[in-house]
Amino acid sequence: MNEYTWRVERVEEVDSTNTALVARAREGEAEGLVLRADHQSGGRGRLGRSWEASPGSALLCSILLQPHLEAERLQWAVVAVALSTRAALARVGVSSDLKWPNDVLVDSRKVAGVLAEYVSAPSESAIVVGLGVNVTEHPPGVGATDIARVRGEAPTPDDFLDVVLDELGPRRGLLDTPRGLTQLAEEYREALVTLGQRVRVHERSREWEGLAYDVDGAGHLLVHTDHGERRVVAGDVVHVRAVIS
Ligand code: BT5
């Protein structure tokens, strides 16, 4: 199936659209529900971090997917949404890159972030993918930007969500099959500015450096180091400097 019908529900305020949608998924909600909030009182990032946005200034939403995708390959759901966001940004005149694992960047500044969570359910497992896009404002001091800052004008968060979902339809279909994932990986490699860069990797309490050169079949980052090849499953990377343009 190539096209999806999304059911968008809008609320004024919620703690976190991801938390709320995970609860709905556990109750057996079907694929395609999109929960969008004007404001989050407890917006979440990865690894216990927070996501900040003043009311009405951002697209804050979570999308319920049920692809045939094992928990180990959750990163591909992040990739599908991040690539759709990048394509949607291009449609409103903003050129962006992806940074592994979940950032959408404009000129090295973060315009959007993605947070995916795997929900094991008795019947069918689900993936909740949260997306935060800075539309008319961005928080200070975190190396961020927003669409209005880059373009001088911006769509409404609702209109921008429509464009993201339009882009996600065909990419969602790619998550179900190995051939689809290969196609998604091709688009990912083109968009992923991390590849070819010297990176500092922060994994739990460890920190090390190397040359990021590819992603593997699970979407994890592959890095050449002085001690051989290493794979980053969960962690943060800092681009130290470009080695290959
Ligand atoms: C992310 O985490 O980038 C995932 C963000 C996902 C947010 C969406 S909003 C809708 C849905 N519901 C939720 O509760 N979450 C999702 P991470 O890579 O951990 O980045 C978090 C870090 O980015 C923070 O520690 C700050 O440094 C920075 N940050 C916070 N708010 C930001 C913003 N609006 N724009 C750019 N950077 C921000």
Side-chain angles (χ1 to χ4, degrees):
M1 192 156 97
N2 253 346
E3 293 302 327
Y4 280 77
T5 309
W6 307 106
R7 309 182 302 284
V8 180
E9 265 185 37
R10 184 176 167 187
V11 293
E12 239 168 66
E13 182 169 334
V14 68
D15 54 348
S16 149
T17 56
N18 258 46
T19 306
L21 199 55
V22 165
R24 297 277 292 271
R26 289 214 173 95
E27 287 162 9
E29 186 68 59
E31 167 151 27
L33 181 62
V34 180
L35 187 64
R36 137 141 166 72
D38 291 332
H39 182 54
Q40 295 183 126
S41 53
R44 297 193 283 117
R46 296 164 55 238
L47 310 168
R49 293 186 291 241
S50 63
W51 187 257
E52 311 294 336
S54 51
S57 72
L59 169 59
L60 306 167
C61 69
S62 298
I63 304 162
L64 179 56
L65 302 176
Q66 287 180 316
H68 302 297
L69 199 64
E70 311 89 316
E72 302 74 57
R73 291 178 192 251
L74 179 68
Q75 175 65 11
W76 291 117
V78 174
V79 170
V81 170
L83 285 172
S84 301
T85 304
R86 178 175 186 256
L89 284 167
R91 279 169 59 175
V92 300
V94 175
S95 163
S96 62
D97 301 304
L98 303 189
K99 172 174 174 274
W100 193 91
N102 67 321
D103 294 344
V104 184
L105 305 180
V106 176
D107 291 334
S108 304
R109 293 186 163 267
K110 187 157 166 171
V111 70
V114 180
L115 172 70
E117 297 178 89
Y118 200 85
V119 186
S120 311
S123 49
E124 206 176 347
S125 299
I127 296 175
V128 168
V129 192
L131 170 66
V133 184
N134 302 325
V135 177
T136 56
E137 284 175 33
H138 62 268
V142 291
T145 192
D146 60 75
I147 297 176
R149 162 65 66 98
V150 177
R151 279 295 288 155
E153 58 183 1
T156 64
D158 273 324
D159 285 348
F160 191 67
L161 173 60
D162 286 344
V163 186
V164 171
L165 294 177
D166 193 46
E167 289 291 338
L168 184 58
R171 289 179 180 82
R172 156 63 187 91
L174 301 178
L175 294 174
D176 285 327
T177 63
R179 182 193 283 238
L181 291 183
T182 303
Q183 202 177 318
L184 201 61
E186 273 170 30
E187 188 185 2
Y188 191 37
R189 287 190 181 95
E190 272 170 34
L192 193 59
V193 73
T194 308
L195 300 185
Q197 303 239 10
R198 185 146 190 94
V199 292
R200 185 173 308 119
V201 178
H202 300 260
E203 273 184 314
R204 290 173 225 101
S205 53
R206 289 179 305 160
E207 217 180 291
W208 47 275
E209 281 192 20
L211 174 66
Y213 71 97
D214 205 357
V215 286
D216 70 7
H220 300 147
L221 188 67
L222 298 173
V223 182
H224 283 302
T225 75
D226 293 343
H227 310 288
E229 299 189 355
R230 291 175 72 163
R231 183 195 343 211
V232 193
V233 175
D236 282 307
V237 303
V238 176
H239 295 166
V240 180
R241 64 175 186 276
V243 177
I244 299 165
S245 65

